[in-house]
């Protein structure tokens, strides 16, 4: 039995071996490979259509230089969606509830967009730190504020994904515990609570997909500023 509700977010291990590596590798084994046949099955067709629509939605505002990032970002989005959804299954672990993992995704990609902006258009990239027409006395303050906001971006990416998934898992755990406690005492209330739990689980499935999409959408917006 868990000592507290936050024990579910601890990285599991077996015989001293951390199982987070297995949790990260499992989604890649579940992705279906396109077949050599001329006509694919319905699932692969739906998968290809979904990827195509997401790619068009995310990268249509970007110029040709930003389209080189499509494979990387779409692959990361599918990977995050798979991790988030697999974490909703019983007796599973959600790696994306770990801030360290999310920051490991966010920081290098954010840094890459900044480096690309400084390399390709240094004047425009540095111009974001100081809006045009700023009064002279406010220039130092605005530069400091914009610099801080720039460095907060990867932290916001990682914290947003971690906080939303952690809050959803905690809420599901709380309501599930309430159902088990109320079932022998007040069966009617327990059934109503279980229906709320079912609806919350459906909402959490949507949140798992939306948060992965938002993570990549914000990265694409950062990329759009620098290409």
């Amino acid at each position: 039995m868990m000592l507290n509700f936050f024990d579910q977010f601890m990285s599991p291990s077996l015989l001293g071996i951390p199982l987070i590596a297995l949790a990260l590798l499992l989604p890649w084994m579940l992705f279906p490979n396109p077949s050599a046949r001329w006509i694919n099955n319905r699932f692969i067709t739906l998968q290809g259509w979904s990827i195509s629509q997401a790619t068009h939605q995310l990268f249509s505002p970007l110029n040709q230089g930003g389209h080189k990032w499509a494979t990387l970002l779409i692959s990361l989005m599918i990977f995050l969606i798979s991790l988030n959804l697999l974490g909703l299954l019983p007796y599973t672990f959600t790696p994306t509830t770990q801030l360290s993992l999310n920051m490991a995704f966010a920081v290098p990609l954010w840094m890459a967009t900044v480096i690309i902006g400084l390399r390709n258009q240094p004047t425009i990239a540095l111009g974001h730190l100081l809006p045009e027409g700023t009064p002279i006395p406010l220039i130092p303050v605005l530069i400091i504020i914009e610099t801080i906001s720039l460095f907060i971006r990867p932290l916001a990416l990682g914290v947003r994904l971690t906080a939303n998934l952690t809050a959803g898992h905690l809420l599901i755990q709380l309501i599930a515990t309430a159902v088990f406690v109320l079932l022998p005492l007040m069966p009617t209330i327990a059934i109503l609570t279980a229906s709320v739990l079912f609806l919350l689980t459906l909402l959490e499935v949507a949140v798992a997909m939306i948060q992965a999409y938002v993570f990549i959408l914000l990265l694409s917006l950062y990329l759009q500023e620098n290409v």
Side-chain angles (χ1 to χ4, degrees), residues 133-159:
T134 303
I136 295 179
L138 295 179
I139 289 178
V141 178
L142 281 180
I143 291 178
I144 295 174
I145 292 175
E146 292 296 331
T147 303
I148 293 175
S149 67
L150 179 65
F151 283 95
I152 284 179
R153 285 180 174 182
L155 182 63
L157 283 174
V159 170

Side-chain angles (χ1 to χ4, degrees), residues 3-225:
L3 298 177
N4 57 66
F5 290 120
F6 288 94
D7 284 348
Q8 62 178 312
F9 303 114
M10 296 177 61
S11 180
S13 60
L14 179 65
L15 301 177
I17 301 174
L19 298 182
I20 188 172
L22 179 62
L24 292 175
L25 292 175
L26 183 59
W28 299 107
M29 301 171 60
L30 300 177
F31 296 150
N33 296 321
S35 63
R37 296 180 301 176
W38 287 4
I39 301 178
N40 293 321
N41 58 37
R42 293 182 178 88
F43 184 76
I44 295 180
T45 302
L46 179 62
Q47 179 188 11
W49 177 83
S50 302
I51 294 174
S52 176
Q53 291 298 315
T55 305
H56 177 75
Q57 184 72 23
L58 289 171
F59 291 92
S60 57
L62 276 68
N63 57 24
Q64 193 66 28
H67 293 174
K68 300 176 182 178
W69 286 62
T71 303
L72 173 62
L73 294 185
I74 294 298
S75 300
L76 179 59
M77 184 183 71
I78 297 173
F79 183 56
L80 291 177
I81 291 175
S82 302
L83 289 178
N84 296 345
L85 293 179
L86 288 176
L88 294 174
L89 298 176
Y91 303 104
T92 56
F93 172 68
T94 311
T96 44
T97 56
Q98 306 295 311
L99 182 60
S100 57
L101 178 67
N102 296 331
M103 293 301 295
F105 287 140
V107 172
L109 293 173
W110 164 82
M111 183 62 70
T113 61
V114 174
I115 292 175
I116 287 177
L118 292 175
R119 186 189 66 180
N120 295 339
Q121 44 186 14
T123 304
I124 297 177
L126 294 176
H128 289 304
L129 301 178
L130 185 64
E132 187 177 356
T134 303
I136 295 179
L138 295 179
I139 289 178
V141 178
L142 281 180
I143 291 178
I144 295 174
I145 292 175
E146 292 296 331
T147 303
I148 293 175
S149 67
L150 179 65
F151 283 95
I152 284 179
R153 285 180 174 182
L155 182 63
L157 283 174
V159 170
R160 178 185 290 106
L161 183 58
T162 303
N164 282 280
L165 295 178
T166 302
H169 282 65
L170 278 176
L171 195 54
I172 290 176
Q173 179 69 24
L174 287 170
I175 297 179
T177 304
V179 171
F180 281 108
V181 172
L182 293 174
L183 188 59
L185 302 175
M186 293 178 286
T188 304
I189 302 299
I191 293 174
L192 293 177
T193 308
S195 62
V196 173
L197 178 62
F198 176 74
L199 295 176
L200 180 62
T201 304
L202 295 180
L203 177 62
E204 190 63 20
V205 170
V207 168
M209 295 186 289
I210 291 172
Q211 287 304 316
Y213 178 79
V214 169
F215 188 92
I216 301 303
L217 176 62
L218 292 177
L219 280 175
S220 67
L221 292 178
Y222 300 157
L223 182 64
Q224 184 178 357
E225 295 179 359

